[in-house]
């Protein structure tokens, strides 16, 4: 039996948290925190790689503050582009596998049909440009897996689902953007897909490369919020605002610093066909996390 060493970066983030669980059956995980290794410090990263000698590097660390990236492009580029480049170079020297996560924000959103992996990229903001540069660096290395996704949520961390739940408990009215489409994805779902795909790759099934991973179906942020509050109410969460009192607005009203793609729906046929997977409907993940949050609050 091969006992693989897995180095997990960003383990305290949404996805990292879920990966720490899903990857546990695949090998021995080392998951340094920011305090143990500052990923802005290339010397510290190289020393970490030297010390841990991983068979597989899973990079769930990123600069994910989309609006703040407009003010701090160098920080976003360093974490989202230079770090993956350094990891790919190091993996190239040792033959380790490199797993990396990409974003739907590499697309312009001007398309009207789901994006496939071969569609042209054209990021609208600094975060998207930094993520694309990272993807390109990782794609230059043969033993890589890039999973491109969007609208990630988890029961912990900063995400839309938790923000809406918090506000709906405090406010009687909410306004939510209705002109951006995508699919909400639970971190647990992406982490489960990662483990399945890695296991296949290690048994020479499937092929390395870039894959879209996204739940089935799509909605707007408004549709997502309505479903979320309906689901939360159904499970007994006390709310001051319900789906009926959410007001749909256009993204122009919100006027955020970074532009977002209006259409960020990802075609997942390549992933499903290559690795024999079925994508669950996005509503399932939302429902599961609502129940997780309620269970956590009750305990
Ligand atoms: N969130 C989304 O909606 C979304 C959508 C599409 C793609 N993605 C991609 O999915 C991946 C995971 O995203 P996520 O939502 O899980 O991110 P997240 O919750 O923001 O977590 C990012 C992780 O990176 C770590 N990190 C940041 N700067 C660091 C530094 N200097 N040194 C060490 N660690 C550092 C953070 O550490 P701390 O915990 O110490 O801060 C955190 O653990 C990323 O590649 C992201 O681009 C996310």
């Amino acid at each position: 039996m091969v006992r693989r060493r897995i180095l997990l970066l960003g383990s305290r983030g949404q996805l990292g948290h879920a990966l720490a669980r899903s990857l546990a059956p695949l090998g021995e995980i080392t998951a340094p925190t920011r305090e143990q290794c500052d990923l802005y410090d290339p010397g510290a990263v190289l020393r970490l790689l030297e010390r841990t000698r991983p068979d597989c590097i899973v990079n769930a660390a990123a600069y994910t503050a989309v609006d703040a990236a407009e003010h701090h492009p160098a920080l976003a580029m360093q974490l989202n582009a230079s770090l993956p480049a350094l990891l790919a170079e190091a993996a190239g020297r040792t033959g380790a596998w490199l797993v990396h996560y990409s974003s739907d924000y590499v697309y312009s959103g001007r398309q009207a049909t789901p994006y496939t992996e071969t569609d042209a990229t054209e990021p609208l903001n600094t975060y998207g440009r930094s993520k694309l540069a990272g993807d390109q660096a990782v794609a230059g290395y043969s033993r890589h897996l890039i999973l491109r996704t969007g609208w990630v949520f988890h029961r912990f961390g900063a995400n839309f689902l938790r923000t809406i739940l918090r506000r709906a408990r405090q406010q009687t009215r909410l306004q939510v953007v209705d002109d951006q489409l995508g699919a909400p994805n639970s971190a647990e779902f992406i982490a489960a897909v990662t483990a399945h795909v890695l296991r296949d790759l290690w048994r020479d099934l499937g092929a390395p490369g870039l894959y879209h991973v996204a739940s089935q179906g799509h909605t707007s942020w408004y549709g997502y919020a309505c479903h979320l509050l309906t689901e939360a109410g159904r499970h007994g969460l006390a709310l001051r605002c319900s789906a009926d009192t959410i007001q749909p607005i256009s993204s122009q009203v919100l006027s955020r610093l970074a532009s977002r793609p209006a259409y960020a729906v990802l075609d997942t046929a390549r992933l499903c066909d290559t690795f024999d997977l079925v994508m669950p409907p996005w509503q399932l993940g939302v429902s599961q996390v609502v129940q997780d949050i309620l269970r956590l609050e009750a305990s």
Side-chain angles (χ1 to χ4, degrees):
M1 191 187 72
V2 188
R3 197 172 168 80
R4 290 190 175 80
R5 291 183 299 270
I6 301 171
L7 176 62
L8 173 59
L9 303 178
S11 63
R12 287 202 304 214
Q14 302 191 85
L15 190 51
H17 202 274
L19 284 165
R21 284 176 169 209
S22 74
L23 298 179
L26 296 194
E28 192 178 302
I29 300 179
T30 304
T33 61
R34 184 191 288 256
E35 293 72 31
Q36 289 163 331
C37 180
D38 179 1
L39 300 175
Y40 278 121
D41 179 352
V45 176
L46 289 174
R47 284 193 296 279
L48 174 71
L49 292 168
E50 182 61 33
R51 200 169 60 246
T52 52
R53 297 186 172 278
D55 301 301
C56 177
I57 305 165
V58 180
N59 179 30
Y63 186 103
T64 53
V66 176
D67 290 308
E70 297 302 318
H71 285 309
H72 305 289
L75 292 180
M77 283 306 266
Q78 205 179 330
L79 215 60
N80 295 347
S82 307
L83 172 68
L86 185 149
L87 296 176
E89 211 181 290
R93 282 195 299 271
T94 63
W97 277 91
L98 176 56
V99 179
H100 182 66
Y101 296 91
S102 174
S103 165
D104 51 352
Y105 283 13
V106 299
Y107 298 119
S108 70
R110 295 194 186 96
Q111 208 163 283
T113 52
Y115 280 93
T116 68
E117 291 83 348
T118 52
D119 281 324
T121 50
E122 191 191 347
L124 300 179
N125 57 43
T126 301
Y127 168 77
R129 281 188 289 278
S130 70
K131 290 297 295 178
L132 181 59
D135 296 355
Q136 287 163 344
V138 171
Y141 168 59
S142 59
R143 296 184 114 183
H144 75 275
L145 171 68
I146 302 174
L147 295 176
R148 181 172 287 161
T149 190
W151 295 29
V152 180
F153 63 89
H154 192 250
R155 59 186 178 282
F156 304 123
N159 58 57
F160 176 85
L161 182 147
R162 279 170 40 95
T163 302
I164 292 293
L165 279 184
R166 188 182 63 248
R167 291 195 182 153
R169 290 166 132 170
Q170 298 164 346
Q171 301 164 211
T172 52
R173 298 191 70 78
L174 285 176
Q175 292 186 321
V176 181
V177 168
D178 195 29
D179 56 3
Q180 288 167 16
L181 302 181
N185 293 296
S186 95
E188 305 284 352
F189 155 64
I190 301 165
V193 169
T194 305
H196 176 93
V197 169
L198 254 185
R199 198 173 149 74
D200 269 9
L201 288 173
W202 290 347
R203 296 153 93 201
D204 282 331
L205 300 170
L210 165 69
Y211 295 90
H212 286 169
V213 51
S215 304
Q216 217 180 87
H218 67 266
T219 185
S220 68
W221 292 107
Y222 167 74
Y224 177 9
C226 287
H227 177 78
L228 169 62
L229 293 196
T230 305
E231 202 55 14
R234 198 168 70 80
H235 287 289
L237 198 71
L239 300 169
R240 300 190 68 203
C241 176
S242 69
D244 310 338
T245 47
I246 305 180
Q247 185 192 349
I249 56 166
S250 86
S251 35
Q252 275 179 339
V253 174
L254 206 58
S255 112
R256 298 172 94 175
L257 206 53
S259 301
R260 269 97 168 146
Y263 185 85
V265 183
L266 303 177
D267 184 313
T268 59
R270 178 184 276 185
L271 178 80
C272 294
D273 294 349
T274 309
F275 297 103
D276 195 17
L277 288 168
V278 175
M279 300 293 102
W282 64 264
Q283 294 91 339
L284 182 68
V286 172
S287 180
Q288 285 169 345
V289 165
V290 165
Q291 290 173 63
D292 284 351
I293 290 173
L294 285 172
R295 257 196 303 274
L296 271 173
E297 288 185 356
S299 62

